[in-house]
Amino acid sequence: MSLIRFIKKYQLRIKLFSLIGAMVFFFLFFIVNSLYPLKTDISYSKVILSDKGEIMSSFLSVDDKWRMKTELDEISPDFLKCILHKEDRFFYWHFGFNPFAISRAAFNNVIEGKKTSGASTITMQVVRLLDPKPRTYWSKFVEVFQAIKLEFLFSKDEILTMYCNLLPYGGNIEGIKAASELFLGTPCSKLSLAQAITLAIVPNRPSSLALGRFNDKIVEERNRWVTLFKKEKIFSKQSLEGANTEPLLAYRRASPKFAPHLSRLLHHSYSLKDIINTSISLSKQDKVRNLAFNYLKPFHLYGIHNAAVLVVDNKDRSVVTYVGSPDFFDNNHSGQVDGVLALRSPGSTLKPLVYGLNFDEGFYTPKMKILDTPSDFDTYSPLNFDNEFSGEVTLSEGLSRSLNIPAVRLLDNIGVPSFLNKLKLSGFKSIESQEHKLGLSVILGGCGVSLFELCGLYSAFANQGRFSPLHFIKGGSVQNATPVLTPSSTYMVSEILTTLNRPDFPEHYNRVKNLPKVAWKTGTSYGRRDAWSIGYNAQYTVGVWIGNFDGKSADQLVGGKVATPLMFEVFKAIQNTLEEEWLQSPDSLDFRLVCEESGLPPSDFCHNIITDYFIPLKSPIKKCNHLKAYFVSSDEKVSFCNFCLPSSNYKKKLYHNYDPALISYFENNNFPYVKIPAHNPYCEHVAKRSKPVIVSPLPGREYFINNTSTELVLKAITTADVSFIYWYINDRFLKRVDANSELFFTPPYGKVKISCSDDKGRNTDIFIEVQ
C-alpha cells in the first residue's frame, strides 16, 4: 500500500521524469544516428555455382575480401547451435543488447580491475563488424544504440545471417562459407560437429587461432569446448563421440577455378548479382576439360596448341560444359582467350543449313543429282577441298562428302540474303556486322562465327529445326523458339549427317565398338587454321574447335582428323546410355520410289529403283529424264530431229540426257561416255536454244591486264551434237577448236566483241571491257 501511496503522491514527478528520460533517449538516439549512421551494405564475393550448387569459381569482393554470401538454410545446424550458445544464448529474446549481461560484465570488470568478460550480443557484434571502431566505452554506447536500430530494421534470422557472413577467420577471409570452403574444403552445410565447433571458436581469436598455422592450438581449444558442451548437454553424447579425436585438416586452399572463361563472362555480365546459379554440370565440365587437355597434348608437336569444347543439353538449350581452352593459365599460347566466343572461319560447318533450305523450298530431295563440275558463279570459281570433281552426285553424297561446288550451287539457288537472314534468325549476331561484304563464299567459311553460335544452330537441328537461344543460368527455359527449317528438312539433313562412310570419318574409329549415334559435320578453314566438328543427337549437341588463337596454320588442322575424334570422345564421356534416344521422323515426311540415276520419280525406262525421302506437296514431282529418245540412222552415226527425219532407215534410241556442263567435264577429263550421234548435216532447222554458251570470259565484265602478253581463256559449252566451234574477236576469225575445249588469246584494249559459232551455224556474241 505504501508503494501505491508513493506513486499517487509523486505521480506528476514520475511522469515528468519519464517524459524527460524518453526525450533524452530519443535525443541521444538522434545524435548517435546522425554522427554514426548505421551501415548495412555488405559487399560479397561473386560466386559462380554449378547446377548442383557446387562452387565453380569466385571473385574477391570490392573491398578485396573472400566473403561468400550464404543463407541460414545453407549453414550446418550444429554450427548455428554452437555459435548461439557460445556468443549469445538469449539472441532470440533481447532487443539488440542484453542489460543483464552488460551489468554482469561491468561488475566483474570492476571487481577484477580489468576486462574479464564481454557483454556484446550478436546484434552488437554485427554492428561492430559492419563499421569497426576503437574499443572504448563510448563505442560500446554507440553499438547499443545502433544494435537497437538494427533490430528494428531486420529480423532476427536476417541479423544472424549477416553475422555468419561477417565472421572473421584471418587475413581477408570472412564468413562461414568462405572459411569452410577455403580452409576445410567442405560446404558449410556439410560440416561435421568437430568442424562446426572449430569454425565457431576461431572468430574470437582469428590471429592466435589462425587456421592452417596453429592447428594444434585450435584442436586444444576445440576439445575444451567439446567438454564444455558435454557438461551443459548442448549436444547428445552420441553426436559428441569422436569429436575431440577428429583430426583437423585445415590449410589455405585455392579458390575453385572451374570453367574460368565462363565464370569471367558471367562475372562481367551479372555485376549486380552475388550468387550466379549456372547450368554447368561440374562433373561433366571437369571430365571434358581433362579430356580436351590430354587429347591436345600430342598435337603440340604439330604446332597445334588450342581447343574449345561446348556441350549443350538439347532439351532445354542449357550449356552443360564450357571449355574456352583446356589450360586457362597457358600464357605461352594465350590460354585465357575464350575459344567458345572467338570469331573464326567456320569452314564447311554451315553447309547443312543450305541443304535444308533447298529441301524446304522444294528444289531437291536427298537422292536427287546435282553437278559437281568446275563452275563460275559470277566471277567466283570455288574448288573442292581435294581440288577434284565428281561430275554429278546426289545431295546426300554432296553433304556427307562436304563437296564445295554443290554447296555453292545450292546457296546460289536460295540467294545469299535469304541465307544470311536464316543465320541471323539462328542467333548469329556476328553476321550482322559482316553482312554487307558477304557473298557465295560464306558457305565455304568466308565469314567469322563462334563455336557458341554454331552449337546454337546445331541444337536447332536436334529440335526439329526450331532455334532458341542457348543459356547458362540454371532453371532457364526454352524461349521464343524460331523455326529455321521445317521438321521434315531437318530430319533429312540429320539422317545424311549420320553417315559413317564419308571422308571425314576418323579411320581408327571404324574399329571402335559402342560408338554413339550422332549426326555431325566437320569444317576446315582456308589455309588450315581452324578445325571444327559439331555433332548432335536428341540429348546433346557437342561442338569442338581446334586450332591456334594466334591464327597460325598447321597441316594437321583438318576437321575430320583432329576435331571429330575429340567430339566422339566427349559424347562417350557424357552420354548416360549407349541406347540413346534418337530423333523422331515427323509425320510431314514420307518415302517414295525414285530412279537411282536422277533421284526423280521413275519413268518407264527407269530400271534401278530406290527409295528416297520427300515432302508431299513440296518436293519435285516431275518424272525422271535421265534418258532421252533420239531418232538415229540405222548405223547410229547420224541423229535426226522432227524436221529432218527421213522416211526410212532410222530408229529410235535412248541416250543419257547429260547437262552440257557435265558433257564439258567429261570431254576435258577424257571420261568415256556414249555420245549422241552428230546431227544430220543437211538439216536446215537450227534451234536457238542450242547455241553455244560462253562461260569464259563472262559477258559485261571488266578485265584488267598488266601488259600486252597477258592472256584470257575462251571457253563455251555446247550440245552433244557439236564437234567444232569457231572463235571470233571483234568479228575477226581467231581459231577453230574442238567443242568444249579451251583456247587462250591476248585481248586488245577497250571494248571487245567475242563471238562463238558451232559447226551447225549457231552463234553467240558477248562484250567485255579490257583495261
Side-chain angles (χ1 to χ4, degrees), residues 397-415:
E397 187 180 2
L399 180 54
S400 64
R401 291 176 56 192
S402 194
L403 297 175
N404 290 343
I405 308 302
V408 176
R409 287 188 184 280
L410 294 175
L411 179 56
D412 199 35
N413 286 344
I414 296 296

Side-chain angles (χ1 to χ4, degrees), residues 352-564:
L353 178 59
V354 80
Y355 276 79
L357 293 173
N358 274 266
F359 293 153
D360 277 339
E361 290 296 326
F363 295 149
Y364 290 95
T365 60
K367 296 298 175 64
M368 286 179 64
K369 296 291 184 70
I370 188 169
L371 288 176
D372 179 32
T373 59
S375 306
D376 190 297
F377 300 90
D378 195 17
T379 73
Y380 178 52
S381 303
L383 297 172
N384 285 323
F385 182 76
D386 58 3
N387 293 325
E388 299 292 336
F389 301 93
S390 300
E392 193 177 44
V393 295
T394 65
L395 265 76
S396 293
E397 187 180 2
L399 180 54
S400 64
R401 291 176 56 192
S402 194
L403 297 175
N404 290 343
I405 308 302
V408 176
R409 287 188 184 280
L410 294 175
L411 179 56
D412 199 35
N413 286 344
I414 296 296
V416 173
S418 296
F419 181 73
L420 296 181
N421 284 335
K422 287 293 184 178
L423 286 179
K424 289 187 287 185
L425 285 175
S426 304
F428 284 78
K429 294 182 179 180
S430 58
I431 291 297
E432 295 178 4
S433 61
Q434 309 170 56
E435 188 174 5
H436 65 285
K437 58 183 179 182
L438 297 180
L440 290 173
S441 64
V442 68
I443 199 62
L444 306 184
C447 60
V449 304
S450 68
L451 180 61
F452 184 79
E453 292 171 328
L454 284 172
C455 286
L457 174 64
Y458 279 70
S459 184
F461 294 159
N463 284 278
Q464 297 191 319
R466 295 189 298 269
F467 170 79
S468 185
L470 306 184
H471 62 88
F472 313 107
I473 304 303
K474 182 180 180 180
S477 57
V478 177
Q479 298 178 354
N480 304 322
T482 304
V484 177
L485 296 174
T486 66
S488 297
S489 66
T490 304
Y491 188 79
M492 288 189 282
V493 167
S494 299
E495 285 294 290
I496 294 172
L497 294 179
T498 59
T499 305
L500 298 181
N501 184 20
R502 53 201 267 193
D504 58 357
F505 186 72
E507 295 181 5
H508 65 281
Y509 270 75
N510 289 318
R511 301 185 296 273
V512 175
K513 294 182 179 180
N514 300 326
L515 196 66
K517 185 177 182 180
V518 175
W520 88 95
K521 183 72 187 74
T522 62
T524 304
S525 67
Y526 179 77
R528 300 196 178 190
R529 290 177 171 82
D530 307 274
W532 304 84
S533 190
I534 321 288
Y536 62 94
N537 56 21
Q539 188 172 2
Y540 294 113
T541 292
V542 174
V544 172
W545 170 85
I546 294 179
N548 292 303
F549 288 141
D550 61 6
K552 288 183 179 178
S553 63
D555 291 340
Q556 294 294 318
L557 275 176
V558 177
K561 288 184 178 180
V562 298
T564 298

Side-chain angles (χ1 to χ4, degrees), residues 701-707 710 712 747 749 769-771:
R701 295 294 179 189
E702 280 187 316
Y703 290 86
F704 295 87
I705 59 178
N706 295 327
N707 50 59
T710 302
L712 296 180
Y749 290 108
E769 189 78 24
V770 178
Q771 296 184 19

Side-chain angles (χ1 to χ4, degrees), residues 639-656:
S639 62
F640 306 101
C641 64
N642 289 329
F643 294 94
C644 64
L645 187 66
S647 59
S648 60
N649 295 324
Y650 73 91
K651 61 183 179 179
K652 199 173 186 179
K653 185 177 179 180
L654 293 172
Y655 288 87
H656 274 283

